[in-house]
Amino acid sequence: MSARTYQIRTFGCQMNVHDSERLAGQLEEAGYVPASADGEPDLIVFNTCAVRENADNKLYGTLGHLRPRKTANPDLQIAVGGCLAQKDRGEIVERAPWVDVVFGTHNIGSLPALLERARHNAKAEVEIVEALETFPSTLPARRDSAYSGWVSVSVGCNNTCTFCIVPALRGKERDRRPGEVLAEVEALVAEGVLEVTLLGQNVNSYGVEFGDRLAFGKLLRACGGVEGLERVRFTSPHPAAFTDDVIDAMAETPNVCHQLHMPLQSGSDRVLREMKRSYRSARYLKILERVREAMPDAAITTDIIVGFPGETEEDFQATLDVVRESRFSSAFTFQYSKRPGTPAATMADQLPKEVVQERYDRLVELQNAIAWEENTKLVGRTVELLVAQGEGRKDAETHRMSGRARDGRLVHFTPAGPAVDRAVRPGDVVETVVTYGAPHHLVADGDVLSHRRTRAGDNSEAGKRPKTTGVTLGLPGFGAPAPQPAAASGCAL
């Protein structure tokens, strides 16, 4: 009997993407194999997001399209997990009774057992727990990338932003111990990974659970001691918890990238109060000033919400003022989306769609102009790129490849010149010179100056991806993790 095949469809943020890697790791340990691109999977898993207003419509519309496939093939299993599952619970099965399994954000480790139970009992299994059942780091993961990996330092959130439903669905912040984080980083590097991104809902509040407010800066410095780790990134810090020791750690640790993604949300202090964002625009700008003093080459990106309930034209102008002063290299801009269950959803003065759209268009126009100016300044600069896969949508047409500079900027480059060793592959490292700056990317159309073939490139070329076992909870501590027996390391391609 052939192994059952699976497909995972992920919606939402990096946290969801990483959760999907954990889901894939569990399924493969249970004997499933990934479905081919043109094959019909035996299992389809939806890992959902509940942040945006259209998330519900997108999920239920997609489930509706699957109903004929389920009718034609009753053995096909459909599972729904993630934030929307945590929110809607049994309603999913009521609206789409052909769904087999519903599981929440706190029990992603239950998926294989729930699938088997649903198959055995021939009925839908809905299991939503209210508190974290198994820390995600204890679960195996099948990684999506041969060269770059996500590493969670915490899950959940202790803030109460009025527009956000995440704390209600993900729970209070839970921190991993530093030794565990470093053990996972080392496991990825042992598999050839060159870059890790430390993940947390408010990543720089890391340490609150074990009482060390300087823990995140220490963790960044500890990552600097991991041999073979070339790049460290993190997302997303909260301005209220941002401390000078983190800036110092970024500036003084060679493998920590000079890139900072820090959500602004609004430049209006009045709106920030209504959002329950515990900082003001002056503090935000002061952080950026200190970052640029320590790292003049830092690229700073952000998130901004337009049209929060009660936002006036004056409030919006305050946001534009902060954007002008901040000189973001890019910004994720969102039109406010009412989410049931959040305090903002019941606030008075919900703005008309046309007002929000007009302000959104003005913000995007301003930010694009700033990003274009900032990127144009980089023309003629030599950049080191970690070559990526699938980031340049027009690469096939232009005969270019794409990579990320150390500051996180996307660069499309021509993989040619005498310095190229055989062929450039995703996961390799090249140096090249920027020839053009656009609002959302850079172009380097000259010859590659240097090309370093890497183990990550070897693995990309061979179609291999890291597979890591879970790391269990332990005692707080910093430094290299204790050696583990070979049988327990579990890192295999």
Side-chain angles (χ1 to χ4, degrees), residues 20 26 327 363 419 453 475:
S20 290
Q26 293 177 77
R327 308 296 296 177
L363 173 61
R453 294 171 71 87
L475 295 173

Side-chain angles (χ1 to χ4, degrees), residues 265-268 270-271 274-275 304-320 334 336 348-352 355-356 359-360 362-363:
Q265 306 304 9
S266 175
S268 162
R270 190 193 68 80
V271 172
E274 291 296 307
M275 289 178 167
I304 301 172
I305 296 172
V306 177
F308 187 80
E311 180 190 76
T312 65
E313 178 62 24
E314 183 181 8
D315 292 324
F316 179 66
Q317 286 298 328
T319 295
L320 296 183
F334 305 94
Y336 168 74
D349 300 324
Q350 302 281 332
L351 300 186
V355 172
V356 178
R359 290 179 185 171
Y360 175 82
R362 276 191 282 158
L363 173 61

